[in-house]
Amino acid sequence: TDLDEPRRVAEAARRMGLRHAVITMVARDDLPDGGAGVVADTVRQIRLASPATSIEVLISDLNGREADIRTVVESQPEILNHNVETVPRLQRAVRRRARWDRSVGVLSAGRRLAADIGHPMTTKTGLMLGLGESWEEVVEAMGLLSEARSDVLTIGQYLRPSRSHLPLVKYYTPAEFMALRRIGLD
């Protein structure tokens, strides 16, 4: 782990005059806190170097550890993002180590922890479509995420990056995406 990375990222955000920065992370199971401390330090460093920059963190599930989720939330990003990626039935095939309930729990815990410290924070998640899910499963997943009070849901088309990745089962049309948008906004 490069402990100077948060400072360098903050300096880059300042030099580029970013109005919004998205801090992403890979799963860091090699670190005791799953990388939560590095993410939180990056948020704090950006706040120091570029106070007007809004910050979104796209985090792993941190193995569902509330203490690590708290570490990230207490750094006060404007947006806490953790992608569920796919519908519950396909979780195991698409995300071998992840679980739907744990991913939704990250979002719920983040929302609750932010409220505990009086920090207005948006929660965000995303789904990829085209992996073999049914229309009904997509709508059900949207409902489950709404029940969990996720503020923002992005839905995108899965495209197979290589032959070693899962095959594309369905290409969704723009009209289908618009139909999902209408369902989500109702």
Side-chain angles (χ1 to χ4, degrees):
T1 298
D2 179 358
L3 297 179
D4 193 42
E5 183 178 26
R7 183 200 59 78
R8 289 193 331 273
V9 168
E11 179 58 21
R14 185 194 63 76
R15 288 194 356 237
M16 290 188 286
L18 296 182
R19 292 188 321 209
H20 184 74
V22 180
I23 301 165
T24 64
M25 68 176 295
V26 295
R28 291 299 310 264
D29 295 333
D30 58 314
L31 299 175
D33 70 353
V38 174
V39 171
D41 194 30
T42 303
V43 172
R44 286 189 291 273
Q45 291 293 321
I46 291 173
R47 292 268 183 256
L48 291 172
S50 184
T53 301
S54 64
I55 302 171
E56 175 177 344
V57 293
L58 174 54
I59 63 171
S60 73
D61 68 11
L62 299 170
N63 289 312
R65 290 185 306 264
E66 188 164 311
D68 298 334
I69 298 166
R70 180 186 311 278
T71 296
V72 173
V73 170
E74 286 179 346
S75 70
Q76 299 191 4
E78 279 77 12
I79 301 170
L80 177 74
N81 186 347
H82 172 67
N83 290 328
V84 294
E85 304 290 2
T86 190
V87 299
R89 179 180 61 84
L90 295 175
Q91 285 291 304
R92 182 64 69 201
V94 174
R95 304 168 72 209
R96 288 184 294 268
R97 295 183 49 228
R99 295 190 336 251
W100 173 272
D101 60 323
R102 187 166 61 201
S103 288
V104 172
V106 168
L107 299 166
S108 298
R111 171 178 291 292
R112 180 176 40 75
L113 293 165
D116 288 351
I117 62 170
H119 174 58
M121 184 182 75
T122 298
T123 56
K124 179 178 174 183
T125 192
L127 287 169
M128 298 182 294
L129 301 185
L131 291 159
E133 67 286 328
S134 70
W135 184 264
E136 292 75 20
E137 287 176 311
V138 175
V139 172
E140 177 188 27
M142 292 170 65
L144 292 170
L145 292 166
S146 178
E147 287 173 18
R149 299 186 53 229
S150 178
D151 297 306
V152 177
L153 170 62
T154 61
I155 302 176
Q157 175 66 52
Y158 170 74
L159 296 174
R160 188 180 194 183
S162 75
R163 291 193 185 274
S164 65
H165 288 82
L166 293 171
L168 173 66
V169 176
K170 175 181 171 43
Y171 182 79
Y172 283 75
T173 67
E176 289 172 310
F177 277 105
M178 289 305 295
L180 289 171
R181 180 179 190 274
R182 283 190 298 276
I183 291 167
L185 293 175
D186 282 343

